[in-house]
Short mmCIF file of all heavy atoms in Angstrom, two decimals:
data_model
loop_
_atom_site.label_atom_id
_atom_site.label_comp_id
_atom_site.label_asym_id
_atom_site.label_seq_id
_atom_site.Cartn_x
_atom_site.Cartn_y
_atom_site.Cartn_z
N GLU A 235 -20.56 22.33 10.21
CA GLU A 235 -21.72 22.05 11.07
C GLU A 235 -22.94 21.85 10.19
O GLU A 235 -23.84 22.68 10.13
CB GLU A 235 -21.94 23.18 12.07
CG GLU A 235 -20.89 23.29 13.16
CD GLU A 235 -20.95 22.14 14.17
OE1 GLU A 235 -21.90 21.33 14.09
OE2 GLU A 235 -20.06 22.05 15.03
N ILE A 236 -22.96 20.73 9.47
CA ILE A 236 -24.06 20.47 8.54
C ILE A 236 -24.92 19.29 9.00
O ILE A 236 -25.70 18.75 8.23
CB ILE A 236 -23.55 20.24 7.11
CG1 ILE A 236 -22.50 19.12 7.06
CG2 ILE A 236 -22.97 21.52 6.55
CD1 ILE A 236 -22.00 18.80 5.67
N GLY A 237 -24.77 18.92 10.27
CA GLY A 237 -25.65 17.92 10.84
C GLY A 237 -24.96 16.65 11.29
O GLY A 237 -23.81 16.38 10.93
N LEU A 238 -25.66 15.87 12.10
CA LEU A 238 -25.20 14.59 12.60
C LEU A 238 -26.11 13.48 12.10
O LEU A 238 -27.31 13.68 11.92
CB LEU A 238 -25.20 14.57 14.13
CG LEU A 238 -24.16 15.39 14.88
CD1 LEU A 238 -24.48 15.36 16.37
CD2 LEU A 238 -22.76 14.83 14.64
N VAL A 239 -25.54 12.31 11.90
CA VAL A 239 -26.31 11.13 11.55
C VAL A 239 -26.16 10.12 12.68
O VAL A 239 -25.09 9.51 12.84
CB VAL A 239 -25.83 10.50 10.23
CG1 VAL A 239 -26.67 9.28 9.89
CG2 VAL A 239 -25.88 11.52 9.10
N PRO A 240 -27.17 9.96 13.55
CA PRO A 240 -27.04 9.01 14.67
C PRO A 240 -26.93 7.58 14.18
O PRO A 240 -27.58 7.20 13.19
CB PRO A 240 -28.33 9.24 15.47
CG PRO A 240 -29.30 9.79 14.47
CD PRO A 240 -28.49 10.60 13.50
N ASN A 241 -26.13 6.79 14.86
CA ASN A 241 -25.94 5.39 14.50
C ASN A 241 -27.01 4.54 15.17
O ASN A 241 -26.74 3.79 16.12
CB ASN A 241 -24.54 4.92 14.92
CG ASN A 241 -23.44 5.72 14.24
OD1 ASN A 241 -23.53 6.03 13.06
ND2 ASN A 241 -22.41 6.07 14.99
N THR A 242 -28.23 4.69 14.68
CA THR A 242 -29.37 4.02 15.34
C THR A 242 -30.23 3.19 14.40
O THR A 242 -31.22 2.62 14.83
CB THR A 242 -30.28 5.07 16.01
OG1 THR A 242 -30.75 5.99 15.01
CG2 THR A 242 -29.54 5.83 17.10
N ALA A 243 -29.85 3.11 13.13
CA ALA A 243 -30.68 2.36 12.18
C ALA A 243 -30.87 0.92 12.62
O ALA A 243 -31.94 0.32 12.40
CB ALA A 243 -30.06 2.43 10.79
N TRP A 244 -29.86 0.37 13.26
CA TRP A 244 -29.90 -1.04 13.69
C TRP A 244 -30.95 -1.31 14.76
O TRP A 244 -31.33 -2.46 14.98
CB TRP A 244 -28.53 -1.47 14.19
CG TRP A 244 -28.09 -0.77 15.45
CD1 TRP A 244 -27.55 0.47 15.54
CD2 TRP A 244 -28.19 -1.26 16.79
NE1 TRP A 244 -27.29 0.81 16.85
CE2 TRP A 244 -27.67 -0.25 17.64
CE3 TRP A 244 -28.65 -2.44 17.35
CZ2 TRP A 244 -27.63 -0.40 19.01
CZ3 TRP A 244 -28.60 -2.60 18.73
CH2 TRP A 244 -28.09 -1.58 19.54
N THR A 245 -31.45 -0.26 15.42
CA THR A 245 -32.43 -0.46 16.50
C THR A 245 -33.85 -0.66 15.98
O THR A 245 -34.74 -1.01 16.76
CB THR A 245 -32.42 0.74 17.46
OG1 THR A 245 -32.85 1.92 16.76
CG2 THR A 245 -31.04 0.97 18.04
N GLY A 246 -34.07 -0.45 14.68
CA GLY A 246 -35.39 -0.66 14.11
C GLY A 246 -36.45 0.21 14.74
O GLY A 246 -36.25 1.41 14.94
N THR A 247 -37.57 -0.41 15.11
CA THR A 247 -38.69 0.34 15.70
C THR A 247 -38.89 -0.01 17.17
O THR A 247 -39.93 0.28 17.75
CB THR A 247 -40.00 0.03 14.94
OG1 THR A 247 -40.26 -1.38 14.97
CG2 THR A 247 -39.88 0.48 13.48
N VAL A 248 -37.89 -0.62 17.78
CA VAL A 248 -38.03 -1.07 19.17
C VAL A 248 -38.11 0.11 20.13
O VAL A 248 -38.81 0.04 21.15
CB VAL A 248 -36.85 -1.99 19.55
CG1 VAL A 248 -36.88 -2.32 21.04
CG2 VAL A 248 -36.91 -3.27 18.73
N VAL A 249 -37.40 1.21 19.83
CA VAL A 249 -37.45 2.40 20.67
C VAL A 249 -37.91 3.60 19.84
O VAL A 249 -37.71 3.64 18.62
CB VAL A 249 -36.08 2.71 21.31
CG1 VAL A 249 -35.69 1.64 22.31
CG2 VAL A 249 -35.00 2.86 20.24
N GLU A 250 -38.50 4.57 20.52
CA GLU A 250 -38.94 5.78 19.84
C GLU A 250 -37.74 6.63 19.41
O GLU A 250 -36.79 6.81 20.17
CB GLU A 250 -39.83 6.62 20.77
CG GLU A 250 -40.34 7.91 20.12
CD GLU A 250 -41.08 8.80 21.09
OE1 GLU A 250 -41.30 8.38 22.25
OE2 GLU A 250 -41.44 9.94 20.69
N LYS A 251 -37.80 7.15 18.19
CA LYS A 251 -36.77 8.04 17.68
C LYS A 251 -37.43 9.28 17.09
O LYS A 251 -38.59 9.24 16.68
CB LYS A 251 -35.93 7.32 16.60
CG LYS A 251 -35.05 6.21 17.17
CD LYS A 251 -34.28 5.48 16.09
CE LYS A 251 -35.11 4.42 15.44
NZ LYS A 251 -34.33 3.51 14.57
#
Side-chain angles (χ1 to χ4, degrees):
E235 290 290 353
I236 55 177
L238 288 172
V239 181
N241 300 319
T242 59
W244 66 280
T245 64
T247 58
V248 173
V249 292
E250 180 186 355
K251 290 178 277 191

